[in-house]
């Protein structure tokens, strides 16, 4: 499996997202410029210029016409995917961390960081079909729990919002009233900050990755713990294969400790686990720093990883991968 190396960012990668067809890959990084690539050959298609801070997260609409990006510059921006034109900018009083379009793209959930005495928030914005009608007000604002909310995604049928972050608790909120419906308990839940949430293709379950060196698979409605995958390094990113019963987990020790150790000791590989059997089935090496972002192509035949080293690596699976016997 020879990876395609994509060098378009000056700074560490933060997030990767494929569009629904799987022909485009969007990347966010600590430089200020989200980038779009062709997902088959890794050719850079264009960039979205306008942010003044690290871009933490992005999402793309189902018809691939609009991109939403959340940034440390205290804005969330809507873009025209094709032209790169900025359609709207939501302004906040603190850095925006996570963004996620609802099914149908009529709503977006956004999280903001605790900042200058303000608590973290989860906000829902209505997304207008016509950008000239777009407004900035929130349909719902949930004053968040303590600490930063690293990820918030929509639950099944847009009825709930699932959030997780620094306090290591996964919470499910009613997306209309903002009421807290469920939260993960100390026994089954993570012990350290949660870095990532990744939904299955059907949306019925999701995977959480944490600095406690594990990833966990949960039922999206009941928040029942289904499976756990344990590694020997903090998990920064995780993804669920839409095709096979596989999950991929990536991470590595903190970047500040990396220079003191050997590249192999840093454990910068994407690890594949069997979703049901919870056993490790293989790893993909290559990054020169922790892996911060992972995404499966919607067809399940390739995946992308983004690292602290500023590279996006695009891997098309060999035929052998589809015949792994457990």
């Amino acid at each position: 499996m020879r990876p395609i190396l994509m060098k378009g960012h000056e700074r560490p990668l933060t997030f990767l997202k494929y569009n629904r067809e799987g022909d485009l890959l969007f990347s966010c990084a600590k430089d200020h410029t989200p980038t779009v690539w062709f997902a088959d050959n890794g050719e850079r298609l264009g960039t979205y210029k306008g942010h003044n801070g690290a871009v933490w997260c992005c999402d793309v609409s189902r018809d691939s016409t609009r991109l939403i990006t959340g940034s440390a510059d205290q804005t969330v921006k809507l873009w025209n995917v094709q032209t790169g034109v900025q359609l709207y900018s939501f302004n906040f009083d603190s850095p925006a961390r996570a963004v996620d379009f609802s099914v149908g793209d009529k709503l977006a959930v956004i999280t903001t960081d605790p900042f200058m005495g303000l608590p973290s928030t989860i906000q829902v914005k209505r997304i207008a079909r016509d950008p000239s009608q777009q407004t900035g007000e929130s349909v719902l604002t949930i004053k968040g729990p303590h600490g930063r909310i690293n990820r918030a995604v929509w639950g099944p049928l847009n009825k709930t919002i699932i959030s997780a972050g620094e306090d290591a608790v996964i919470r499910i909120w009613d997306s209309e009233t903002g009421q807290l419906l469920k939260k993960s308990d100390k026994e089954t839940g993570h012990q350290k900050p949660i870095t990532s949430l990744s939904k299955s293709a059907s949306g019925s379950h999701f995977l959480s990755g944490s600095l406690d060196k594990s990833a966990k698979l949960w039922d999206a409605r009941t928040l029942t713990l289904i499976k756990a995958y344990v590694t020997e390094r903090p998990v920064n990113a995780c993804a669920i294969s839409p095709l096979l019963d596989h999950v991929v987990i990536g991470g590595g020790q903190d970047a500040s400790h990396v220079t003191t150790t050997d590249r192999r000791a840093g454990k910068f590989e994407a690890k594949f686990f069997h979703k049901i059997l919870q056993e490790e089935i293989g790893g993909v090496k290559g990054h020169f720093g922790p892996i911060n972002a992972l995404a499966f192509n919607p067809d399940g035949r390739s995946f992308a990883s983004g690292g602290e080293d500023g590279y996006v690596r695009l891997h098309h699976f060999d035929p052998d991968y589809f015949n792994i016997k457990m």
Side-chain angles (χ1 to χ4, degrees):
M1 211 163 65
R2 286 204 52 154
I4 298 170
L5 275 180
M6 292 139 69
K7 182 75 175 139
H9 290 287
E10 307 287 315
R11 304 273 321 276
L13 268 289
T14 54
F15 199 76
L16 291 169
K17 180 80 187 183
Y18 283 93
N19 67 339
R20 182 163 155 249
E21 284 77 34
D23 59 338
L24 299 176
L25 175 64
F26 296 85
S27 60
C28 302
K30 288 184 182 172
D31 62 15
H32 307 164
T33 317
T35 300
V36 58
W37 316 77
F38 280 122
D40 56 349
N41 59 8
E43 185 188 334
R44 180 156 73 162
L45 191 57
T47 55
Y48 301 89
K49 291 193 164 62
H51 279 299
N52 300 318
V55 181
W56 295 119
C57 194
C58 71
D59 197 11
V60 57
S61 62
R62 273 174 84 83
D63 59 4
S64 303
T65 58
R66 281 183 291 187
L67 177 73
I68 187 169
T69 54
S71 167
D73 67 7
Q74 307 188 357
T75 69
V76 166
K77 294 185 188 298
L78 281 172
W79 311 84
N80 178 317
V81 166
Q82 203 173 352
T83 62
V85 170
Q86 181 180 315
L87 301 174
Y88 193 81
S89 183
F90 297 100
N91 297 312
F92 299 94
D93 299 324
S94 52
R97 178 72 46 176
V99 292
D100 194 43
F101 279 125
S102 64
V103 175
D105 301 323
K106 291 195 170 85
L107 300 168
V109 62
I110 295 165
T111 71
T112 63
D113 289 354
F115 185 71
M116 306 285 283
L118 294 167
S120 57
T121 66
I122 301 171
Q123 302 191 28
V124 175
K125 303 281 190 191
R126 199 163 262 123
I127 304 295
R129 284 200 72 80
D130 176 357
S132 64
Q133 321 251 286
Q134 185 64 51
T135 62
E137 65 240 28
S138 297
V139 191
L140 174 71
T141 300
I142 302 168
K143 289 279 191 287
H146 292 293
R148 199 168 70 212
I149 305 167
N150 287 326
R151 286 282 171 265
V153 296
W154 291 91
L157 301 175
N158 300 341
K159 288 191 186 316
T160 54
I161 293 166
I162 304 165
S163 72
E166 278 189 333
D167 64 359
V169 180
I170 298 172
R171 292 178 174 83
I172 297 186
W173 311 85
D174 184 303
S175 62
E176 290 214 344
T177 63
Q179 186 188 356
L180 179 62
L181 301 175
K182 294 190 173 64
K183 57 187 217 176
S184 59
D185 59 46
K186 279 273 180 280
E187 272 58 66
T188 57
H190 286 291
Q191 307 303 315
K192 285 189 177 171
I194 296 168
T195 52
S196 54
L197 292 180
S198 173
K199 286 191 289 193
S200 65
S202 67
S204 63
H205 51 283
F206 66 92
L207 188 64
S208 59
S210 164
L211 299 181
D212 65 9
K213 304 182 179 171
S214 74
K216 298 191 172 193
L217 194 66
W218 307 85
D219 183 290
R221 282 194 170 84
T222 61
L223 204 55
T224 313
L225 179 65
I226 306 172
K227 300 284 179 187
Y229 314 92
V230 180
T231 72
E232 63 276 25
R233 71 204 63 122
V235 177
N236 299 339
C238 55
I240 303 175
S241 168
L243 187 63
L244 302 178
D245 282 326
H246 293 169
V247 299
V248 61
I249 295 166
Q253 69 210 95
D254 185 46
S256 57
H257 303 147
V258 169
T259 48
T260 56
T261 53
D262 180 39
R263 173 168 64 90
R264 290 186 301 283
K267 304 275 199 305
F268 308 127
E269 59 185 320
K271 293 245 182 209
F272 282 77
F273 285 80
H274 194 284
K275 186 159 94 180
I276 317 296
L277 305 175
Q278 308 176 72
E279 287 173 21
E280 193 177 320
I281 45 184
V284 178
K285 294 187 175 67
H287 282 285
F288 288 95
I291 293 173
N292 297 337
L294 285 168
F296 266 101
N297 189 304
D299 67 6
R301 300 191 168 275
S302 59
F303 84 103
S305 57
E308 192 74 26
D309 54 10
Y311 280 98
V312 179
R313 299 175 73 94
L314 185 61
H315 307 264
H316 290 281
F317 292 118
D318 293 337
D320 326 347
Y321 166 79
F322 301 100
N323 307 319
I324 295 175
K325 295 276 182 285
M326 285 299 282

